[in-house]
Amino acid sequence: GQAVIILENGETVPIVSSQNRTAVIVDVKEVGDGITNMQSLNIITNLSAGPQFIIPGTFRNNNFKAKYIAGTANIKKDTITITAENKQKIYGDTNPTLTLTYSGFAYGENLQTSGITGAPVLSTTATTTSPVGTYQITVTNGSLAAENYAFKFVNGTLTIQTDPCLLIRPPF
C-alpha cells in the first residue's frame, strides 16, 4: 500500500502528494517502489511532554526537489496508576500501615528514575473502634508532580473482621 500520514481527525493523506505542512519521518520500506535511493533524517528537539519542534534534516533523491519546513509535535504525558493496596484487620486493632503501588512507567523507568517528586496521600475513615465491615482506602494527589506523567488513582479497601477472641454470651 501507499504510505500515508494519519492526521489527528483520522483523515489520511498520501505522503508523496501531501500539501499539508507536516513533518514526516519516512522509511524506504514504507514508500515501496515509488521512490528509490531515498535518504531521510528528521530531528525532534526534545522527548519531554509538551510541544516540541521537528527539524528537517535531509530528504535527498535526484527525482525530487525538497523544501524544508520545520514542524511541531505535541508529546502527551503518559499515565502512572497509583493503587491503594487492600488491607485487613481485626476489630479493636489499630489500623495497619496503608501502602500503595505504582504502575505504568515508561520502559526502563521506575519511581526513582522517573522524575516523579512528592508523595500521594492515603487515608481511611476506619478507626480502632469502627464496626466490622469494609471501609474505603482513599489515595489522592498529595504533593505528587511530574513533567512527563499524569496520575490516575485507584482506591483500595480496608476490611475489619470480627475478633474471634471476643465472647458473646446469649441473653439470660
Side-chain angles (χ1 to χ4, degrees):
Q2 184 175 9
V4 296
I5 300 167
I6 301 175
L7 302 175
E8 284 188 22
N9 65 4
E11 181 181 332
T12 59
V13 178
I15 290 174
V16 176
S17 64
S18 173
Q19 297 299 312
N20 293 310
R21 298 178 63 164
T22 305
V24 180
I25 298 173
V26 180
D27 185 288
V28 174
K29 291 177 230 131
E30 294 173 327
V31 178
D33 296 332
I35 300 175
T36 58
N37 300 321
M38 179 186 70
Q39 296 177 358
S40 175
L41 172 68
N42 291 289
I43 300 167
I44 189 163
T45 56
N46 196 327
L47 295 178
S48 295
Q52 304 300 334
F53 292 103
I54 299 172
I55 302 169
T58 60
F59 179 77
R60 192 176 58 141
N61 182 290
N62 293 334
N63 297 323
F64 296 92
K65 283 188 175 183
K67 180 177 180 182
Y68 300 107
I69 301 171
T72 60
N74 189 28
I75 299 175
K76 294 182 179 180
K77 290 185 174 192
D78 205 352
T79 300
I80 294 291
T81 301
I82 301 172
T83 304
E85 294 181 308
N86 295 330
K87 298 290 181 176
Q88 294 182 2
K89 77 170 200 158
I90 302 295
Y91 172 80
D93 288 352
T94 58
N95 284 349
T97 301
L98 302 179
T99 56
L100 53 84
T101 60
Y102 293 83
S103 61
F105 291 102
Y107 179 76
E109 285 192 341
N110 58 42
L111 183 58
Q112 291 72 32
T113 62
S114 66
I116 293 175
T117 60
V121 173
L122 290 163
S123 62
T124 184
T125 59
T127 66
T128 303
T129 58
S130 293
V132 170
T134 57
Y135 298 83
Q136 184 168 286
I137 300 171
T138 304
V139 58
T140 58
N141 193 75
S143 61
L144 281 174
E147 181 180 2
N148 293 321
Y149 290 105
F151 302 108
K152 174 184 172 187
F153 301 101
V154 178
N155 295 328
T157 302
L158 172 60
T159 303
I160 300 177
Q161 301 170 335
T162 303
D163 184 346
C165 294
L166 291 178
L167 298 176
I168 302 174
R169 66 175 179 84
F172 292 105

